[in-house]
Amino acid sequence: MQIREATLDDLGDVTEVCDASGRTRWTSEMIATRNDRVVLVAVAQGEVVGVAKTHLHPDPEGSSPAGHYLGGVVVAPGFRRRGVGSALTRARLEWIWSRASIAYYFTNEHNTASIRMHETLNFRPVARFLEIRGVTADDGRSELILFAASR
């Protein structure tokens, strides 16, 4: 498997991964190259099988700190539980570590697969919220957990 930066030429393949996963399609704006974030794809046997991104939030918002956040990850159903998400996350962290000493990520309190994977990468919970940066979980019925990891 190869992890590389996404290009606009990957949009069709990313759309297929999102559709197969029942997830909202990513747009060209979401994968366009920018200096303040990275968007990566995982390629296996010449096929895009996963996509992941980061976000830079330069200012605090409420109790959410400023900094680099791991964003969404989408892995094609036939490639889940094979290390694709972990490889995408490690590569995103390397990108963040070249720019900052702390990385953040948040998830729904019920997303145990994501929590376990991120715990293996030394993410630890720092706070719980009903909303983080405009995102709610389960229409506000669940909490989001904010995690941080240090280089």
Side-chain angles (χ1 to χ4, degrees):
M1 177 175 51
Q2 174 194 17
I3 304 295
R4 63 168 174 77
E5 287 196 37
T7 68
L8 290 177
D9 291 339
D10 293 316
L11 184 58
D13 294 329
V14 169
T15 296
E16 288 181 21
V17 170
C18 291
D19 288 351
S21 301
R23 302 281 296 273
T24 302
R25 289 180 174 182
W26 289 26
T27 65
S28 58
E29 174 61 29
M30 294 169 74
I31 68 169
T33 301
R34 291 186 3 201
N35 290 333
D36 64 348
R37 67 152 186 231
V38 69
V39 181
L40 302 174
V41 291
V43 180
Q45 302 160 341
E47 175 185 352
V48 172
V49 298
V51 62
K53 61 187 172 182
T54 66
H55 299 281
L56 173 62
H57 295 289
D59 300 308
E61 183 177 289
S63 298
S64 301
H68 287 277
Y69 284 68
L70 296 176
V73 176
V74 184
V75 176
F79 288 86
R80 293 183 184 153
R81 306 280 190 257
R82 294 184 178 186
V84 175
S86 182
L88 286 164
T89 300
R90 288 177 195 281
R92 289 181 296 155
L93 282 173
E94 288 303 315
W95 187 89
I96 290 172
W97 295 151
S98 71
R99 291 156 176 79
S101 60
I102 298 176
Y104 298 97
Y105 128 88
F106 59 88
T107 191
N108 182 318
E109 65 186 331
H110 303 295
N111 192 344
T112 56
S114 178
I115 292 168
R116 285 185 187 133
M117 194 235 352
H118 285 84
E119 284 176 341
T120 68
L121 299 171
N122 297 316
F123 278 87
R124 299 293 175 248
V126 294
R128 296 173 79 95
F129 300 96
L130 292 176
E131 178 183 343
I132 299 176
R133 299 192 172 274
V135 176
T136 61
D138 301 325
D139 296 321
R141 295 187 307 269
S142 296
E143 288 187 315
L144 294 167
I145 305 172
L146 176 65
F147 293 81
S150 298
R151 192 168 17 161

